[in-house]
Amino acid sequence: MTGIDFHSTALLAEEVTEKATSQVSGWFIIAILVVVFVLPFILGALIANALKMKDFSRKIGLVLFTAVIASTPFVWQIASGHDWRDAIRLGIDLAGGSNMVFEVDEGKSEKELSNEVMDQMVGAIGRRINPSGTEEVTVRKVGQNRIEVIVPGADSDDVQRIKSLITRLGSLEFDIVANRRDHATLVSRALEAPGKDIRDGEGRVIASWREVNNDEPFSQDDQMVVRPITRKDGTPGEEVLVIIEPNEDRRVTGKYLVRARQSTDQNGTPAVSFTFNARGGNLFSQLTSKNRPSKDGFHRHLAVLLDGKVQSAPRLITTIGAEGQITGRFTQKEISDLLNVLNAGALEVPLKPEPVSEFSISPLLGSDVQEKGKQAILIAAIAVIFFMLIYYRFAGLVANICLTLNLLLVMGTMSFINATFTLPGLAGLVLTIGMAVDANVLIFERIREEKARGSSLRMAINNGFARAFTTIIDANLTTLIVAVVLYIIGTDQVRGFAVTLFIGIVMSMFTALYVGRIIFDIFERKRWISDLKMMSIVGHTSIDFIGKKMVAAMFSIALIVIGMGVVITRAEENLDIDFTGGTMVTFEFEDKQDIDAIRGLLQKEFGNSLTLEQLQLSNDPGSDGRYFRLRTTLNDADKGEEDVKATDSIRDKLNKTFKDSAQKLRKVTMSFGEIKKLEGSENSPAGAEVELTFSGDLKPSTVDNYLQEAIASIKNADKSAKYERVPELQLKGISAESKDDAADEATRFKKMNAQVGPDLLVADLKTALNEMQTVMETTAILDEVNSFDSSVAGEMQESALLAMLISLIAIVAYVWFRFQRITFGLAAVAALVHDVLVVLGMVALGAYLSDTALGPVLGLNDFKINLPMIAAFLTIVGYSLNDTIVVFDRIREVRGKNPALTKTMVNESLNQTLSRTLLTSITTLIVVLILYTIGGEGIHGFAYCLVLGVIVGTYSSIFIASPVLLWLMNRPGSATARATQQSEKQARVSSN
């Protein structure tokens, strides 16, 4: 399938300029390629020659290459005159960003708005602007017909690109271009008809004039029909007549699209290739088969329509099935945007092209909170490094080199994929260091065991790495499987975590197993080390862990029952705004304010379940520091009394907060003139109108909110709402020059004209205006009042749960494959479920105890489950799984080919791995305890989960996973049970 490229002299000039530019910068690009891809291996060869170890040349070169690649984003920023930290994209909580609210264009919508339609809109928009899932983008429903989009740290160019991605309908359609030979009658009708569409006797559209998305003259070869038009922006253009399939079920559209991808056309220019599903491929095949070239050489053309405009009209040469290509005059940026739109799916209903509100927002976390968090992250990282150095000495130095390189590789890779870092995300990165120590500890403890057996240093290093290799691979591959499943199936938030987890695991394995081994081998072969001195906090032990299984079981059951009881009792109080949604209001101060001071005052009335955003109007830099948006979990459903609305409650709390404070909220009063009845006419329906005058400028949308709220509060005699559906209102701003000037929603006015339809009684309008007048006189003005949905829509929550379930199944399958018994996988999952339930219960219990005397002592808060906490739960799963697999691997080693599995074998395995288990827990606990105690509120709940997770994960690998495995393996009637009984019987005979 080939396309017509509409080249112009301007385009050719652009191409020539680009080629010239590339020739000028060619040497610079070559230099970069040499530095990145060649220089590391040259240095590796030089270092290997200097060490007289030529066989290490490639190994050293590869390590240097990975370090250089990872450093490239940071070096590039420095070379460009920027701060190296600019390579790290920060989230809304650390850097702020852009906030836009888009409204559905109901006038152009063919579908009735519903919650389902809006949820589909939210999903499609999220996939468009965050296809990788690595950016902390928020997309959620606001009110009934609006969608809010929050993008971290976006500049003006990014904002414009995102607006385009969001508002493009994204509809893809394939039709046949009309020609005078096959469609003479339709062409004649179309040329005579004044409108765009030609209909059949049943009223169905069978042909339509469609605008060509190009400025170049459209080719009229093969008798195609074209007519000139003037576009909406006043520029000249053309329309081409297209044949429309009257049966909607037989139209070839984007709903059959499976995947779109970048390709090149026959001229080597960028194009988009696509794949249809079976139904789409069949329809496309039928459409193109019917319109193949005639025997006399006459060709038909296929119209490729994007958002109703003809993108290209290639000649049809042969039948096309499920695969095809869209060609045109695309830039690389346009290709990327088009792929995002097509792969995300078309919007169910159109959005208005410009947002109804657009703000720059400040970081959600105050500077003090940010500094505490960053300080805690730095201290935690230094603490782990010092611990490893003191405990393992030279081996600890090797581990620290590996950890530093690991951190560089993870940060560099995340920078390459443009991932966004939140404060909990950065804390999780340091946690990766704590957990990455695990691989080093496994290796070092194996080396210690080999040394204890009398092996030479070289043999101890070889055997230590060899024996630890299988365990490390097993432990990390299970977690990698979880990461892959979460990425494929999970929500955007879960996918972002999965990417970080995947990168962290891969890099930690590379640094520990490859880089660490190289360093040890070099130092040992050069005789720079003759022994490896290590501290030992756990010597040889013979603890009967399995003998305490009943005590552990009772303890775990009690914890889970108590915790789940508190979870059920607290119900929705367990959830933060991320999952509950709530109400948001925008208010303004008379003077510029400090966001930290405002947040502190608001928390006294609203508690910690709020977020506060400092807003700056996109067209008014002077508004910075005066506008704020408060989000709270309060909503109408929370109120016990029907007459009390969330808006009233929020308004009262705001007034109480700032009543006697130095921070003065902006107030605007209102007066209104005589209410005039309107005479009904064709253009102006009957009703009433009234002129409203304000003491300060207001947006029409703000006044509309107040008036609708007042009308909705009017009651019948039986206290029921008089107007279940608020009658239609029309508000028009009155400017100084003319009363006829239309107001756009962003413009403010001191005078407005309000018109209402006949459904609203004049007496009720006056009642509503009096109520509105009273409210505005006694309370601060709220520019925006709206409900907002959770950051994670219902279907996304289901997707996340499904991802977790499939992850557990994948774990069972992999462990079954590796250990040859399904019981190993089931025991590992049992430990994971135990850990999640215990931690979930302890989070609820901690929140419950926060108001008691224990609260301040243990640093407890009213913890609520939010997105960072979900990331913490997923981290716990990975940590616990890693711990459990290490123990299982040792059990498999101790058991060997013995068909039995006895308590003695399990206890021996647990005692042998106890040192490694405790050391890993200590290093990870060092990190999470520091984050918890001094990290501040930005990561307090996140760190609390992790503290519990590390403790519970260590406990469960010993007291839950191992006893469950023993019980499953020795279930009555199994071959293992019979072998175990025989083995224990022989052991008793031997002891006697």
Side-chain angles (χ1 to χ4, degrees):
M1 176 175 164
T2 59
I4 298 172
D5 284 329
F6 305 105
H7 284 278
S8 65
T9 52
L11 176 64
L12 292 173
E14 278 181 21
E15 290 176 347
V16 171
T17 305
E18 286 177 5
K19 288 177 182 177
T21 305
S22 64
Q23 288 172 357
V24 171
S25 59
W27 288 111
F28 180 65
I29 294 171
I30 291 172
I32 292 174
L33 293 175
V34 168
V35 169
V36 173
F37 291 96
V38 179
L39 188 60
F41 293 98
I42 294 174
L43 287 175
L46 292 174
I47 293 170
N49 285 334
L51 294 172
K52 297 180 180 178
M53 300 171 69
K54 291 184 179 180
D55 53 325
F56 276 70
S57 173
R58 287 187 180 177
K59 294 179 180 179
I60 296 172
L62 180 60
V63 174
L64 293 175
F65 170 70
T66 56
V68 169
I69 281 283
S71 305
T72 302
F74 308 103
V75 174
W76 183 266
Q77 291 295 333
I78 295 170
S80 303
H82 302 126
D83 192 313
W84 65 271
R85 287 171 292 193
D86 290 344
I88 303 170
R89 189 176 183 188
L90 299 178
I92 290 286
D93 58 346
L94 296 174
S98 292
N99 180 294
M100 295 170 280
V101 177
F102 292 87
E103 187 173 68
V104 171
D105 194 339
E106 296 187 62
K108 295 182 179 178
S109 174
E110 297 178 0
K111 289 189 177 182
E112 186 176 341
L113 280 189
S114 65
N115 288 334
E116 183 182 358
V117 167
M118 292 302 291
D119 285 344
Q120 290 170 347
M121 291 281 287
V122 167
I125 290 171
R127 290 189 294 272
R128 287 182 179 193
I129 60 179
N130 187 19
S132 68
T134 58
E135 299 181 35
E136 295 292 325
V137 171
T138 298
V139 182
R140 58 187 163 203
K141 187 179 79 168
V142 172
Q144 297 302 311
N145 64 343
R146 293 183 177 183
I147 292 175
E148 179 183 35
V149 179
I150 307 175
V151 185
D155 59 25
S156 57
D157 290 338
D158 266 346
V159 169
Q160 291 304 317
R161 182 184 66 84
I162 290 165
K163 281 183 188 177
S164 174
L165 282 175
I166 290 170
T167 54
R168 285 186 67 175
L169 199 56
S171 62
L172 174 65
E173 189 176 346
F174 296 90
D175 294 305
I176 297 300
V177 178
N179 63 74
R180 298 177 188 275
R181 173 168 167 172
D182 297 331
H183 315 105
T185 304
L186 280 177
V187 169
S188 177
R189 285 180 59 191
L191 291 173
E192 293 173 1
K196 283 183 174 290
D197 296 334
I198 309 300
R199 299 179 183 270
D200 63 9
E202 298 177 21
R204 299 178 302 179
V205 176
I206 53 175
S208 181
W209 290 100
R210 297 297 176 92
E211 182 181 332
V212 178
N213 190 33
N214 200 276
D215 293 332
E216 292 302 307
F218 195 84
S219 171
Q220 297 187 38
D221 293 343
D222 301 316
Q223 302 185 43
M224 291 189 290
V225 185
V226 179
R227 71 180 185 184
I229 60 164
T230 301
R231 297 191 179 103
K232 290 181 180 179
D233 61 3
T235 59
E238 288 183 323
E239 287 181 333
V240 62
L241 186 62
V242 173
I243 303 300
I244 306 294
E245 167 59 51
N247 185 347
E248 290 189 10
D249 292 335
R250 298 194 60 78
R251 290 180 188 169
V252 184
T253 66
K255 70 180 180 181
Y256 302 114
L257 198 67
V258 173
R259 186 168 70 96
R261 60 198 178 278
Q262 183 172 346
S263 61
T264 54
D265 63 16
Q266 61 184 8
N267 299 318
T269 55
V272 173
S273 292
F274 59 86
T275 304
F276 281 133
N277 61 18
R279 170 68 175 163
N282 184 41
L283 290 175
F284 202 32
S285 176
Q286 291 178 33
L287 178 69
T288 53
S289 176
K290 289 178 184 176
N291 292 278
R292 286 180 297 179
S294 302
K295 291 181 179 179
D296 61 1
F298 180 78
H299 287 84
R300 283 86 182 171
H301 288 249
L302 183 75
V304 182
L305 292 98
L306 291 170
D307 296 332
K309 295 183 179 181
V310 178
Q311 186 67 45
S312 60
R315 274 185 174 185
L316 283 171
I317 307 298
T318 185
T319 301
I320 305 168
E323 302 279 340
Q325 189 180 74
I326 305 170
T327 62
R329 195 177 65 174
F330 296 121
T331 65
Q332 184 59 49
K333 179 177 168 298
E334 288 171 338
I335 288 283
S336 299
D337 289 349
L338 181 56
L339 289 175
N340 288 343
V341 169
L342 292 178
N343 285 323
L347 297 183
E348 294 292 314
V349 289
L351 294 173
K352 292 180 179 177
E354 286 301 317
V356 295
S357 70
E358 183 177 347
F359 297 102
S360 296
I361 62 175
S362 65
L364 299 185
L365 296 178
S367 55
D368 180 54
V369 175
Q370 288 189 42
E371 287 308 311
K372 281 184 179 177
K374 292 174 183 176
Q375 184 181 19
I377 289 169
L378 181 62
I379 292 172
I382 293 171
V384 171
I385 289 171
F386 270 98
F387 176 83
M388 290 299 291
L389 197 59
I390 293 168
Y391 190 86
Y392 282 114
R393 301 179 190 178
F394 174 76
L397 176 64
V398 175
N400 288 338
I401 293 171
C402 292
L403 291 176
T404 304
L405 180 59
N406 180 38
L407 185 62
L408 175 63
L409 292 174
V410 172
M411 292 288 285
T413 306
M414 297 292 280
S415 178
F416 268 118
I417 64 174
N418 204 27
T420 304
F421 286 98
T422 59
L423 189 57
L426 291 172
L429 196 64
V430 176
L431 178 66
T432 303
I433 295 177
M435 293 175 67
V437 167
D438 181 45
N440 291 286
V441 169
L442 274 171
I443 295 166
F444 300 162
E445 292 301 311
R446 283 290 193 174
I447 291 175
R448 189 202 298 272
E449 289 177 12
E450 293 298 318
K451 288 286 293 177
R453 291 192 183 106
S455 300
S456 65
L457 179 59
R458 180 173 295 186
M459 186 62 68
I461 292 171
N462 285 336
N463 291 345
F465 273 92
R467 291 179 180 275
F469 182 84
T470 304
T471 305
I472 292 170
I473 294 297
D474 278 340
N476 285 294
L477 267 182
T478 48
T479 314
L480 277 178
I481 290 170
V482 173
V484 171
V485 172
L486 291 177
Y487 182 82
I488 294 172
I489 304 175
T491 66
D492 285 351
Q493 292 82 3
V494 171
R495 289 175 76 196
F497 172 83
V499 169
T500 309
L501 180 64
F502 187 93
I503 293 170
I505 291 169
V506 171
M507 297 309 174
S508 66
M509 283 196 292
F510 170 73
T511 53
L513 292 172
Y514 191 80
V515 179
R517 180 64 187 269
I518 290 173
I519 296 172
F520 271 116
D521 284 348
I522 290 174
F523 273 75
E524 191 279 326
R525 282 175 59 173
K526 296 299 293 182
R527 309 283 184 190
W528 291 341
I529 53 171
S530 56
D531 195 9
L532 287 176
K533 303 285 185 184
M534 303 177 189
M535 291 177 66
S536 178
I537 58 172
V538 181
H540 178 73
T541 60
S542 55
I543 303 169
D544 182 13
F545 291 105
I546 300 302
K548 299 172 179 59
K549 65 181 180 181
M550 291 307 297
V551 176
M554 295 302 294
F555 175 70
S556 291
I557 290 170
L559 268 184
I560 291 173
V561 169
I562 294 170
M564 289 299 101
V566 179
V567 169
I568 293 168
T569 303
R570 283 171 55 84
E572 282 204 1
E573 287 184 33
N574 291 301
L575 302 175
D576 205 353
I577 288 177
D578 289 341
F579 288 95
T580 63
T583 306
M584 64 183 191
V585 297
T586 302
F587 51 92
E588 182 183 357
F589 289 96
E590 292 179 357
D591 304 305
K592 187 172 182 178
Q593 303 296 332
D594 175 63
I595 187 171
D596 293 335
I598 300 300
R599 185 185 287 108
L601 290 169
L602 289 170
Q603 283 174 341
K604 294 175 184 177
E605 283 293 328
F606 291 90
N608 292 325
S609 288
L610 64 83
T611 60
L612 186 67
E613 303 157 18
Q614 183 173 308
L615 308 176
Q616 178 181 314
L617 296 173
S618 56
N619 56 356
D620 182 12
S623 62
D624 186 32
R626 291 192 292 115
Y627 283 90
F628 292 86
R629 178 182 286 143
L630 168 69
R631 298 179 194 268
T632 171
T633 52
L634 283 174
N635 57 59
D636 290 343
D638 293 333
K639 309 308 295 179
E641 307 167 47
E642 288 186 9
D643 290 342
V644 180
K645 293 193 173 292
T647 308
D648 296 329
S649 178
I650 292 170
R651 192 177 279 125
D652 290 343
K653 286 177 181 287
L654 278 174
N655 287 331
K656 194 181 294 184
T657 299
F658 300 106
K659 183 178 180 182
D660 299 318
S661 71
Q663 295 88 351
K664 298 299 178 186
L665 289 170
R666 179 177 181 249
K667 288 187 178 181
V668 176
T669 57
M670 180 194 79
S671 61
F672 59 92
E674 180 186 354
I675 300 176
K676 300 175 183 177
K677 284 191 174 183
L678 296 173
E679 294 295 328
S681 67
E682 186 178 345
N683 298 323
S684 178
E689 71 174 358
V690 60
E691 188 173 287
L692 310 178
T693 306
F694 305 95
S695 62
D697 293 337
L698 288 177
K699 293 192 298 184
S701 59
T702 302
V703 178
D704 185 72
N705 282 338
Y706 273 88
L707 191 50
Q708 287 203 37
E709 190 180 322
I711 294 170
S713 67
I714 298 174
K715 306 291 183 186
N716 290 313
D718 61 356
K719 300 294 184 182
S720 63
K722 187 169 184 178
Y723 296 95
E724 291 184 6
R725 180 181 172 276
V726 176
E728 187 177 347
L729 305 171
Q730 285 187 349
L731 285 164
K732 185 188 292 184
I734 303 173
S735 66
E737 292 81 14
S738 168
K739 287 190 174 185
D740 296 326
D741 288 346
D744 94 40
E745 190 160 359
T747 309
R748 295 177 163 221
F749 301 91
K750 281 191 176 181
K751 282 190 176 184
M752 295 183 204
N753 181 269
Q755 288 187 0
V756 297
D759 295 340
L760 182 64
L761 299 177
V762 171
D764 288 337
L765 174 58
K766 188 170 184 179
T767 301
L769 289 170
N770 284 325
E771 171 65 19
M772 179 177 166
Q773 193 175 46
T774 302
V775 170
M776 294 181 72
E777 281 176 359
T778 55
T779 61
I781 197 74
L782 299 181
D783 275 330
E784 174 187 41
V785 181
N786 232 323
S787 62
F788 66 93
D789 270 10
S790 66
S791 299
V792 186
E795 65 177 44
M796 295 174 73
Q797 294 181 33
E798 293 172 10
S799 175
L801 291 173
L802 178 64
M804 289 297 296
L805 180 62
I806 294 178
S807 296
L808 295 179
I809 295 171
I811 290 167
V812 173
Y814 176 78
V815 177
W816 184 1
F817 166 74
R818 285 293 292 130
F819 290 83
Q820 300 299 309
R821 298 292 292 267
I822 193 173
T823 46
F824 280 89
L826 293 175
V829 168
L832 294 184
V833 173
H834 165 274
D835 295 348
V836 171
L837 290 178
V838 169
V839 175
L840 178 61
M842 294 300 288
V843 168
L845 189 61
Y848 182 77
L849 296 174
S850 61
D851 290 332
T852 67
L854 281 174
V857 175
L858 299 178
L860 302 176
N861 287 339
D862 184 14
F863 298 115
K864 293 185 183 292
I865 297 172
N866 51 24
L867 290 174
M869 206 170 272
I870 293 298
F873 275 102
L874 295 172
T875 304
I876 291 165
V877 168
Y879 179 85
S880 176
L881 183 61
N882 198 306
D883 236 13
T884 302
I885 296 299
V886 170
V887 173
F888 283 2
D889 204 74
R890 186 58 68 97
I891 290 173
R892 178 175 59 179
E893 185 180 324
V894 169
R895 183 187 180 207
K897 294 184 178 180
N898 194 328
L901 181 62
T902 65
K903 294 179 183 178
T904 304
M905 292 175 185
V906 176
N907 274 328
E908 184 181 345
S909 302
L910 289 170
N911 280 285
Q912 287 180 10
T913 56
L914 185 61
S915 176
R916 171 260 159 209
T917 300
L918 292 179
L919 279 169
T920 306
S921 300
I922 288 170
T923 52
T924 312
L925 266 176
I926 288 172
V927 174
V928 294
L929 281 173
I930 290 172
L931 294 177
Y932 180 67
T933 52
I934 65 173
E937 67 179 80
I939 51 177
H940 199 60
F942 173 81
Y944 176 73
C945 266
L946 292 174
V947 170
L948 294 173
V950 171
I951 297 170
V952 174
T954 304
Y955 161 84
S956 71
S957 65
I958 297 173
F959 291 107
I960 303 298
S962 300
V964 168
L965 174 66
L966 187 64
W967 175 71
L968 287 172
M969 292 282 281
N970 290 301
R971 63 193 182 281
S974 67
T976 304
R978 291 191 294 270
T980 300
Q981 290 169 3
Q982 186 66 28
S983 178
E984 289 176 344
K985 185 177 179 181
Q986 289 175 356
R988 285 195 296 271
V989 171
S990 300
S991 63
N992 292 332

Short mmCIF file of all heavy atoms in Angstrom, two decimals, residues 277-303:
data_model
loop_
_atom_site.label_atom_id
_atom_site.label_comp_id
_atom_site.label_asym_id
_atom_site.label_seq_id
_atom_site.Cartn_x
_atom_site.Cartn_y
_atom_site.Cartn_z
N ASN A 277 -7.39 -6.61 13.67
CA ASN A 277 -7.75 -7.92 14.17
C ASN A 277 -8.41 -8.71 13.04
O ASN A 277 -8.53 -8.22 11.91
CB ASN A 277 -8.66 -7.82 15.40
CG ASN A 277 -9.97 -7.09 15.10
OD1 ASN A 277 -10.37 -6.95 13.95
ND2 ASN A 277 -10.63 -6.64 16.16
N ALA A 278 -8.88 -9.93 13.33
CA ALA A 278 -9.41 -10.81 12.27
C ALA A 278 -10.61 -10.17 11.57
O ALA A 278 -10.72 -10.19 10.34
CB ALA A 278 -9.79 -12.15 12.86
N ARG A 279 -11.53 -9.60 12.35
CA ARG A 279 -12.72 -8.98 11.77
C ARG A 279 -12.33 -7.79 10.90
O ARG A 279 -12.81 -7.64 9.77
CB ARG A 279 -13.66 -8.52 12.90
CG ARG A 279 -14.82 -7.64 12.48
CD ARG A 279 -15.84 -8.37 11.65
NE ARG A 279 -17.00 -7.53 11.34
CZ ARG A 279 -17.88 -7.78 10.39
NH1 ARG A 279 -17.76 -8.87 9.65
NH2 ARG A 279 -18.90 -6.97 10.18
N GLY A 280 -11.45 -6.94 11.40
CA GLY A 280 -11.01 -5.78 10.63
C GLY A 280 -10.27 -6.19 9.37
O GLY A 280 -10.46 -5.59 8.30
N GLY A 281 -9.41 -7.21 9.48
CA GLY A 281 -8.67 -7.69 8.32
C GLY A 281 -9.60 -8.22 7.24
O GLY A 281 -9.39 -8.00 6.04
N ASN A 282 -10.66 -8.90 7.67
CA ASN A 282 -11.64 -9.45 6.72
C ASN A 282 -12.39 -8.32 5.99
O ASN A 282 -12.54 -8.35 4.77
CB ASN A 282 -12.62 -10.35 7.47
CG ASN A 282 -13.60 -11.03 6.53
OD1 ASN A 282 -13.24 -11.47 5.45
ND2 ASN A 282 -14.85 -11.10 6.95
N LEU A 283 -12.84 -7.32 6.76
CA LEU A 283 -13.54 -6.19 6.15
C LEU A 283 -12.64 -5.40 5.20
O LEU A 283 -13.06 -4.98 4.12
CB LEU A 283 -14.08 -5.26 7.24
CG LEU A 283 -15.24 -5.79 8.10
CD1 LEU A 283 -15.58 -4.80 9.21
CD2 LEU A 283 -16.47 -6.05 7.23
N PHE A 284 -11.39 -5.19 5.63
CA PHE A 284 -10.44 -4.43 4.81
C PHE A 284 -10.14 -5.19 3.52
O PHE A 284 -10.02 -4.60 2.44
CB PHE A 284 -9.16 -4.20 5.62
CG PHE A 284 -8.35 -3.03 5.14
CD1 PHE A 284 -8.94 -1.92 4.58
CD2 PHE A 284 -6.97 -3.04 5.26
CE1 PHE A 284 -8.19 -0.83 4.16
CE2 PHE A 284 -6.21 -1.96 4.84
CZ PHE A 284 -6.82 -0.86 4.29
N SER A 285 -10.02 -6.50 3.64
CA SER A 285 -9.76 -7.34 2.47
C SER A 285 -10.92 -7.25 1.47
O SER A 285 -10.70 -7.12 0.26
CB SER A 285 -9.56 -8.79 2.91
OG SER A 285 -9.39 -9.63 1.80
N GLN A 286 -12.15 -7.29 1.99
CA GLN A 286 -13.33 -7.19 1.11
C GLN A 286 -13.37 -5.82 0.42
O GLN A 286 -13.66 -5.73 -0.78
CB GLN A 286 -14.60 -7.41 1.92
CG GLN A 286 -14.77 -8.83 2.42
CD GLN A 286 -16.03 -8.99 3.25
OE1 GLN A 286 -17.03 -8.33 3.00
NE2 GLN A 286 -15.99 -9.86 4.25
N LEU A 287 -13.11 -4.76 1.19
CA LEU A 287 -13.16 -3.40 0.64
C LEU A 287 -12.12 -3.22 -0.47
O LEU A 287 -12.44 -2.70 -1.55
CB LEU A 287 -12.90 -2.38 1.75
CG LEU A 287 -12.87 -0.90 1.33
CD1 LEU A 287 -14.27 -0.43 0.92
CD2 LEU A 287 -12.33 -0.03 2.46
N THR A 288 -10.90 -3.65 -0.24
CA THR A 288 -9.83 -3.44 -1.23
C THR A 288 -9.95 -4.41 -2.41
O THR A 288 -9.56 -4.08 -3.52
CB THR A 288 -8.45 -3.60 -0.56
OG1 THR A 288 -8.39 -4.86 0.13
CG2 THR A 288 -8.21 -2.49 0.45
N SER A 289 -10.50 -5.60 -2.13
CA SER A 289 -10.67 -6.58 -3.21
C SER A 289 -11.68 -6.08 -4.24
O SER A 289 -11.49 -6.24 -5.46
CB SER A 289 -11.13 -7.91 -2.63
OG SER A 289 -11.37 -8.85 -3.66
N LYS A 290 -12.78 -5.45 -3.76
CA LYS A 290 -13.81 -4.92 -4.66
C LYS A 290 -13.30 -3.78 -5.52
O LYS A 290 -13.89 -3.45 -6.56
CB LYS A 290 -15.01 -4.42 -3.86
CG LYS A 290 -15.82 -5.53 -3.22
CD LYS A 290 -16.95 -4.89 -2.41
CE LYS A 290 -17.74 -5.94 -1.65
NZ LYS A 290 -18.78 -5.31 -0.78
N ASN A 291 -12.22 -3.13 -5.09
CA ASN A 291 -11.76 -1.91 -5.76
C ASN A 291 -10.35 -2.05 -6.33
O ASN A 291 -9.60 -1.09 -6.40
CB ASN A 291 -11.82 -0.73 -4.78
CG ASN A 291 -13.25 -0.36 -4.42
OD1 ASN A 291 -13.92 0.36 -5.14
ND2 ASN A 291 -13.71 -0.86 -3.27
N ARG A 292 -10.02 -3.27 -6.74
CA ARG A 292 -8.73 -3.49 -7.40
C ARG A 292 -8.72 -2.84 -8.80
O ARG A 292 -9.79 -2.51 -9.34
CB ARG A 292 -8.46 -4.99 -7.52
CG ARG A 292 -8.06 -5.64 -6.20
CD ARG A 292 -7.80 -7.10 -6.37
NE ARG A 292 -8.99 -7.82 -6.80
CZ ARG A 292 -9.02 -9.13 -7.03
NH1 ARG A 292 -7.93 -9.84 -6.90
NH2 ARG A 292 -10.14 -9.70 -7.42
N PRO A 293 -7.54 -2.68 -9.41
CA PRO A 293 -7.47 -2.03 -10.73
C PRO A 293 -8.28 -2.80 -11.78
O PRO A 293 -8.40 -4.02 -11.73
CB PRO A 293 -5.97 -2.07 -11.06
CG PRO A 293 -5.29 -2.22 -9.75
CD PRO A 293 -6.21 -3.02 -8.89
N SER A 294 -8.85 -2.05 -12.72
CA SER A 294 -9.56 -2.69 -13.84
C SER A 294 -8.56 -3.24 -14.84
O SER A 294 -7.38 -2.89 -14.82
CB SER A 294 -10.48 -1.66 -14.53
OG SER A 294 -11.40 -1.12 -13.60
N LYS A 295 -9.05 -4.10 -15.71
CA LYS A 295 -8.16 -4.73 -16.69
C LYS A 295 -7.57 -3.70 -17.66
O LYS A 295 -6.52 -3.93 -18.24
CB LYS A 295 -8.94 -5.79 -17.48
CG LYS A 295 -9.31 -7.01 -16.63
CD LYS A 295 -10.05 -8.05 -17.46
CE LYS A 295 -10.39 -9.26 -16.59
NZ LYS A 295 -11.13 -10.30 -17.36
N ASP A 296 -8.28 -2.58 -17.85
CA ASP A 296 -7.76 -1.54 -18.75
C ASP A 296 -6.77 -0.61 -18.06
O ASP A 296 -6.35 0.40 -18.63
CB ASP A 296 -8.92 -0.73 -19.35
CG ASP A 296 -9.75 -0.02 -18.27
OD1 ASP A 296 -9.41 -0.15 -17.08
OD2 ASP A 296 -10.73 0.66 -18.64
N GLY A 297 -6.41 -0.91 -16.77
CA GLY A 297 -5.39 -0.13 -16.08
C GLY A 297 -5.94 0.99 -15.22
O GLY A 297 -5.17 1.78 -14.65
N PHE A 298 -7.28 1.10 -15.10
CA PHE A 298 -7.88 2.16 -14.28
C PHE A 298 -7.73 1.81 -12.80
O PHE A 298 -8.01 0.68 -12.37
CB PHE A 298 -9.36 2.33 -14.64
CG PHE A 298 -10.04 3.40 -13.84
CD1 PHE A 298 -9.85 4.74 -14.16
CD2 PHE A 298 -10.86 3.08 -12.77
CE1 PHE A 298 -10.48 5.74 -13.43
CE2 PHE A 298 -11.49 4.06 -12.03
CZ PHE A 298 -11.30 5.41 -12.36
N HIS A 299 -7.27 2.80 -11.98
CA HIS A 299 -7.03 2.56 -10.56
C HIS A 299 -8.03 3.31 -9.67
O HIS A 299 -8.40 4.45 -9.97
CB HIS A 299 -5.62 3.02 -10.17
CG HIS A 299 -4.55 2.12 -10.67
ND1 HIS A 299 -4.03 2.19 -11.94
CD2 HIS A 299 -3.88 1.08 -10.06
CE1 HIS A 299 -3.11 1.26 -12.12
NE2 HIS A 299 -2.99 0.57 -10.98
N ARG A 300 -8.47 2.65 -8.59
CA ARG A 300 -9.24 3.32 -7.54
C ARG A 300 -8.29 3.76 -6.43
O ARG A 300 -7.17 3.26 -6.34
CB ARG A 300 -10.31 2.38 -6.94
CG ARG A 300 -11.54 2.18 -7.81
CD ARG A 300 -11.35 1.09 -8.81
NE ARG A 300 -12.52 0.92 -9.69
CZ ARG A 300 -12.51 0.13 -10.75
NH1 ARG A 300 -11.40 -0.56 -11.08
NH2 ARG A 300 -13.59 0.01 -11.49
N HIS A 301 -8.79 4.67 -5.63
CA HIS A 301 -7.96 5.19 -4.54
C HIS A 301 -8.63 4.94 -3.19
O HIS A 301 -9.86 5.02 -3.06
CB HIS A 301 -7.71 6.69 -4.71
CG HIS A 301 -6.76 7.00 -5.83
ND1 HIS A 301 -5.49 7.49 -5.65
CD2 HIS A 301 -6.90 6.86 -7.18
CE1 HIS A 301 -4.90 7.65 -6.81
NE2 HIS A 301 -5.74 7.28 -7.77
N LEU A 302 -7.80 4.67 -2.20
CA LEU A 302 -8.28 4.46 -0.84
C LEU A 302 -8.06 5.73 -0.03
O LEU A 302 -6.94 6.25 0.03
CB LEU A 302 -7.51 3.30 -0.19
CG LEU A 302 -7.95 2.91 1.22
CD1 LEU A 302 -9.25 2.14 1.19
CD2 LEU A 302 -6.86 2.06 1.90
N ALA A 303 -9.11 6.24 0.57
CA ALA A 303 -8.98 7.44 1.41
C ALA A 303 -8.65 7.01 2.85
O ALA A 303 -9.40 6.24 3.45
CB ALA A 303 -10.27 8.25 1.39
#
